[in-house]
Amino acid sequence: MISFRNFALRRGERLLLSDVDLSLHAGWRVGVVGRNGTGKSSLFAAVRGEVEADRGDLDLPTRMRIASIAQEMPSLPDPAIDFVLAGDVAVHAALQAEANAFAAEDWEAVAEAHQRLEEVGGYDGAARAGKLLHGLGFPGEAQQRPVSSFSGGWRVRLNLARALMTPSDVLLLDEPTNHLDLDAVLWLEQWLLKYQGTLLLISHDREFLDNVNTHTLHLHGGKAKLYIGNYTAFERQRAEQLRQQQITHEKTQAERAHLQSFIDRFKASAAKAAQAQSRIKRLAKMADTEAVRAEREVRIDFPAPVRLPHALLRLNHADCGYPASGNPAVVLHDANFGLEAGDRIGLLGPNGAGKSTLVKSLVGDLPLLTGERYAHPDLRIGYFAQHTVEALVAGTSPIDHMREISPDASTQDFRNFLGKWSFPGDRAFESIDGFSGGERARLALALIAWRQPNVLLLDEPTNHLDLEMREALAEALADFAGAIVLVSHDRHLIGLVSDTYWRVSEGVVRPFDGDLDDYAVWLRSRPQDAKSAGAVPAATVVEAPPPPPPVPKAARSKVNPHRLAQAEAQVATLESAIVDIDARLADPAFHDGPDAPARATDAAQRRAALVSELAEAEVALLALYEAS
């Protein structure tokens, strides 16, 4: 159990958290949410022992094992699988001792190493490391490549795999889905549902939070409040609390006004003097109630396109890739892909499969190797690439960036526009050097919107954006009149924006008949050896089988209604059991007594097993629904 008692934390002169009193129990999966700058990462640093409380106590059990994602990773010559395996220090040391003993032909030391491997569960260590890498998108051959050969995003994945490999009682994950594709995010969800320790998770992906969390810790205004349930449950509970708080405040203020009116009217009257004095005392004793302070709602918009022709952009029989002398690297073969006004297309597929290559080919940044690119004369593209934020000019302001685009526009026009993108007043003139990653991403999107495009090609636009900004972006894209092609690992965003999906994988681009839930089911149904094919650049691309064909209508009527009712009942039973365990874990009395830690651990382990069973039962039920 992790306990905060009267805990306070500062960063410099700024008070981040104060008067925090709460306990986090074994087996809980806690999503830590709040606006940027509220102290989420600093709280993690305190749990890791990197910063000390400015007041109060943070109590951790002795010998508690804590794992987290390293922020930096040196350029190592070690194979990726060895780097991940080293996360389990005991297993890595035993394997190294075995290798040294064999090299020295010291057979007594070999026997001791084997005994040690048995004790620490080292014989399956390499298999466990390989499974983690496979789930995060590294094919078998890529697992043997040196760490130094991977780009920054893939090294982040290696750090995540190493953290998951590390034996731990507490796992701290700060934005683990950044740099992951949707396939890897779905795999990570399933892994975390089976994790038996305490999970603390910072994420701006609400679907991920909804599917993983058992509790939500909200940091706001220097306070920390714990809620039972996932992010959606937290939103409902907080909205109701704010509503009740405002009702109480308004009632109190009305009573205060009534008392003050009586006092003002009769305090000079001899006949009413005693009553007036009584009301003065009563008014003095009334507790103050705080009004709900409305948080500034983030709203953005993409202005209507100047012109919006119907047929905007098309690739015909296009081979997309990278030219090279005599031997061009073809990433996508015979792509046929068109955009018309109003299209909203989400691209699905693992990183490295060619989604960004397709987008660059649509933009025209990447010339086609073969085939044809048709663009309407009135086409105006708004392109957000993964490097767009880094392309902002250091030492300049938002106004400077906008003046570079439109030198003849007025400063007031710029200020009015930037104000709508949450750069009000003097913020429009500040250097971007002091901006956070989220503010820079917001500015990059604002510069795109200023150009009034009729096609938006957005490649991972949500990296660094917080939950509120992601919601605002989803609403703005929903109102956009032009065409959209979206690449994102944020399922909430891509699910709200996209009407249709295309799958980019195994060197081809093809429509996907279904939604994101169907895609998750399809991923789980694929053969294991196809799941990460094409995931890492330079890896061999293997053609995977197409999605299973739909069940013929003649076969659908053969589903036994009794079997369907049994599957529904099983899902309901498992959901009810999970709710019961959550209720027990949330009851303070459950954690009283000398055997409370053991009870809590058993309950958490039972819950993890039930969640795993529920996931399997839901897949089976979905299959029956599709066949009925």
Side-chain angles (χ1 to χ4, degrees), residues 183-204:
D183 302 37
V185 170
L186 292 167
W187 175 87
L188 180 60
E189 261 183 21
Q190 296 303 311
W191 192 94
L192 292 176
L193 289 175
K194 298 173 185 176
Y195 178 67
Q196 296 186 354
T198 303
L199 171 67
L200 295 183
L201 169 67
I202 298 172
S203 178
H204 291 141

Side-chain angles (χ1 to χ4, degrees), residues 576-596:
S576 176
I578 292 171
V579 169
D580 288 344
I581 291 178
D582 286 344
R584 274 188 285 152
L585 287 170
D587 184 359
F590 183 75
H591 303 284
D592 292 338
D595 60 340

Side-chain angles (χ1 to χ4, degrees), residues 241-301:
Q241 288 175 357
L242 292 176
R243 189 179 74 85
Q244 293 295 335
Q245 179 183 333
Q246 186 63 23
I247 289 172
T248 301
H249 171 75
E250 290 171 359
K251 287 175 64 177
T252 302
Q253 293 304 108
E255 187 176 354
R256 278 180 171 275
H258 179 72
L259 290 173
Q260 189 64 53
S261 174
F262 185 95
I263 293 167
D264 293 342
R265 188 172 182 181
F266 295 111
K267 63 183 178 182
S269 168
K272 298 285 188 178
Q275 295 180 42
Q277 285 298 318
S278 173
R279 281 163 173 75
I280 290 172
K281 293 178 182 178
R282 184 176 166 188
L283 185 61
K285 290 180 179 179
M286 281 187 68
D288 287 329
T289 58
E290 185 179 1
V292 174
R293 288 174 292 183
E295 297 179 1
R296 187 176 186 275
E297 184 180 2
V298 178
R299 289 195 61 82
I300 60 176
D301 72 287

Side-chain angles (χ1 to χ4, degrees), residues 359-393:
V359 172
K360 290 175 184 176
S361 300
L362 289 168
V363 173
D365 284 357
L366 195 60
L368 302 182
L369 301 176
T370 63
E372 176 190 25
R373 176 182 180 269
Y374 164 79
H376 193 280
D378 292 327
L379 176 71
R380 187 177 292 185
I381 291 176
Y383 176 38
F384 186 100
Q386 296 185 40
H387 59 76
T388 298
V389 174
E390 286 72 26
L392 296 174
V393 182

